[in-house]
Amino acid sequence: MSHGLTLRNIRMRIETEDPLYFGQKKLKLQGRDLLHLPKAVFKLMELEVLDLSPEREACLDYKLAMVPSDIGKLLNLSTLILDTNDLLQVPAEITLLTNLQRLALSNNYLTELPNGFRRLKNLHSLHLANNKFEIFPVEICDITSLVFLDFCDNLIKALPKKISNLTKLETLLLFINRLNKLPDTIVKMEELRSLWLGNNSLRTLPKGFGYLTKLDWMERYTSSTLDGNPLISPPLEICRMGPQAIERFQGVGPNIDAQKQAEEDAEAERKIKDKSRSRASSDANKTGSDDVKSNQSTKAVSEANRSRASSDATTRDAAMSDKPLGAKTNSTDTSVKKSKFPNQPKRRRVPKI
């Protein structure tokens, strides 16, 4: 029986040639080995990929009913595949596998994830399709390394606002759930390239849905679909045309923002030009006023100089006129005096005896 397999026998099953995991140490167990999972498996510390999924139809009668807590010992695991089993829960020890990059838990009966699930900080791909989740596990929103998340075919009614924390998420699959509303924050997940929202109960889409510009509805319609929803705003025929059509319908989106920004830039440039012209006109008026004042000042100085020169000239003329007149008068007086005694002989002075 398989539970009697020795560590050596199990180690001989390890392969490294799988094209999907080339070079990694992979162990694949199925069939009866899943009914009686050998304990020796959990001593293979070198394992990087562990596949415990009954893929083939002939193996579907042999499924895991539970995952042993010893799974937490395989600290080097980067991929753990537990699809298509009868799991009702996964042990908390799975959160010790902090090197996990891919975890597949689809096609089980899970309703919740263990506490501490946010410890899986290196998880890139998480598969939880076809389970019994009614509430979206909010701890997933703290695993910001996620690129792929599959929650198709569950019973989820709402998404948490924190889902926008998954800024690296490129694929979000929510096909066949019970969603009646999407959080406004979903429009911040601008890396989304594939978004399945079909077969839910959505009547409206959040404002700004057009910001999800990387959705490729126009090229591969099946990669992003809203079919099967009673959509009113926007109508389904608009949604089928892709994010740009939704943007035009809602009047909110990157193209409209770019147009508004261009208009604002043009208006700002016009105001700058108007201000520059106004300043130039003001400077010209000021210069003209200064020139007028300067001319008036120069004219006043010139007039003052002319007035002063005229005054000085008058003073000089008056001075020059007064002096000759005085001299002429004196000469005339002398002449008159002389003319009163013409030819009068001089008296001799006789000395007294």
Side-chain angles (χ1 to χ4, degrees):
M1 296 178 66
S2 60
H3 61 278
L5 288 174
T6 64
L7 180 61
R8 180 180 178 182
N9 290 337
I10 295 176
R11 184 166 277 131
M12 290 177 64
R13 297 189 182 186
I14 295 176
E15 59 175 317
T16 59
E17 303 298 322
D18 189 320
L20 293 176
Y21 309 101
F22 189 79
Q24 294 182 294
K25 296 180 176 63
K26 175 188 173 183
L27 175 63
K28 167 71 175 175
L29 296 179
Q30 55 187 350
R32 294 182 182 275
D33 290 336
L34 296 180
L35 289 180
H36 305 283
L37 199 60
K39 292 185 177 181
V41 170
F42 305 106
K43 296 180 181 180
L44 300 172
M45 302 301 294
E46 70 272 25
L47 272 185
E48 296 171 277
V49 179
L50 178 58
D51 187 347
L52 301 177
S53 176
E55 295 176 355
R56 294 180 300 176
E57 188 174 346
C59 300
L60 293 181
D61 290 336
Y62 305 99
K63 298 179 180 181
L64 278 176
M66 62 172 291
V67 178
S69 59
D70 287 344
I71 192 73
K73 296 178 180 180
L74 302 178
L75 297 179
N76 287 319
L77 280 183
S78 62
T79 300
L80 177 58
I81 302 173
L82 298 168
D83 285 335
T84 318
N85 282 292
D86 290 332
L87 301 178
L88 297 175
Q89 61 180 7
V90 291
E93 285 77 9
I94 204 171
T95 65
L96 300 175
L97 306 178
T98 54
N99 288 318
L100 272 184
Q101 296 181 16
R102 182 171 185 258
L103 176 58
L105 291 165
S106 294
N107 305 321
N108 282 285
Y109 299 94
L110 302 176
T111 58
E112 60 182 5
L113 295 175
N115 290 332
F117 198 79
R118 60 169 58 91
R119 294 194 194 108
L120 304 180
K121 295 294 186 182
N122 292 308
L123 207 58
H124 293 170
S125 179
L126 178 58
H127 303 251
L128 293 166
N130 192 24
N131 277 283
K132 301 297 180 182
F133 287 94
E134 294 183 12
I135 299 175
F136 188 96
V138 71
E139 282 194 85
I140 291 177
C141 299
D142 294 324
I143 307 176
T144 55
S145 57
L146 274 177
V147 176
F148 180 97
L149 177 58
D150 185 358
F151 253 113
C152 286
D153 203 356
N154 276 277
L155 306 169
I156 296 173
K157 298 177 182 179
L159 300 178
K161 287 183 176 295
K162 285 180 63 177
I163 197 169
S164 61
N165 291 353
L166 304 179
T167 54
K168 296 181 181 178
L169 200 64
E170 296 180 4
T171 300
L172 177 58
L173 308 181
L174 295 162
F175 194 79
I176 310 177
N177 273 280
R178 296 181 179 178
L179 295 170
N180 52 46
K181 188 178 180 181
L182 296 176
D184 294 339
T185 54
I186 200 171
V187 304
K188 298 179 181 179
M189 303 173 68
E190 297 180 4
E191 291 301 315
L192 280 177
R193 288 170 167 77
S194 184
L195 178 61
W196 288 9
L197 294 169
N199 286 33
N200 278 279
S201 301
L202 298 173
R203 299 176 67 84
T204 62
L205 294 181
K207 273 283 190 182
F209 200 81
Y211 285 109
L212 304 179
T213 56
K214 294 185 179 180
L215 294 177
D216 56 354
W217 292 3
M218 302 302 289
E219 296 178 9
R220 292 180 295 167
Y221 175 67
T222 56
S223 70
S224 302
T225 177
L226 285 160
D227 283 351
N229 286 283
L231 279 164
I232 298 174
S233 179
L236 187 58
E237 56 269 21
I238 295 293
C239 295
R240 285 173 176 168
M241 297 170 65
Q244 291 186 358
I246 295 174
E247 176 185 4
R248 288 192 295 271
F249 181 87
Q250 294 181 333
V252 179
N255 295 314
I256 293 174
D257 288 348
Q259 182 179 352
K260 288 181 179 178
Q261 186 61 48
E263 292 174 356
E264 289 176 2
D265 292 344
E267 179 65 17
E269 186 176 355
R270 185 188 64 77
K271 288 182 178 179
I272 291 172
K273 288 181 178 179
D274 289 346
K275 189 174 181 180
S276 178
R277 283 195 293 266
S278 176
R279 187 183 295 113
S281 176
S282 176
D283 291 345
N285 291 336
K286 184 178 179 181
T287 301
S289 176
D290 290 344
D291 289 344
V292 169
K293 289 180 179 180
S294 177
N295 291 337
Q296 290 176 347
S297 177
T298 302
K299 184 177 180 180
V301 170
S302 178
E303 289 178 354
N305 289 338
R306 284 197 296 271
S307 177
R308 189 180 298 111
S310 175
S311 176
D312 291 346
T314 302
T315 303
R316 284 195 303 271
D317 290 346
M320 291 177 66
S321 173
D322 289 345
K323 187 173 181 181
L325 287 173
K328 187 175 181 181
T329 303
N330 292 339
S331 176
T332 305
D333 292 343
T334 305
S335 176
V336 169
K337 288 178 181 180
K338 287 181 178 181
S339 64
K340 287 181 179 181
F341 306 98
N343 302 320
Q344 185 177 4
K346 292 183 180 180
R347 292 181 180 182
R348 288 185 181 180
R349 193 170 186 181
V350 178
K352 290 180 179 185
I353 302 173

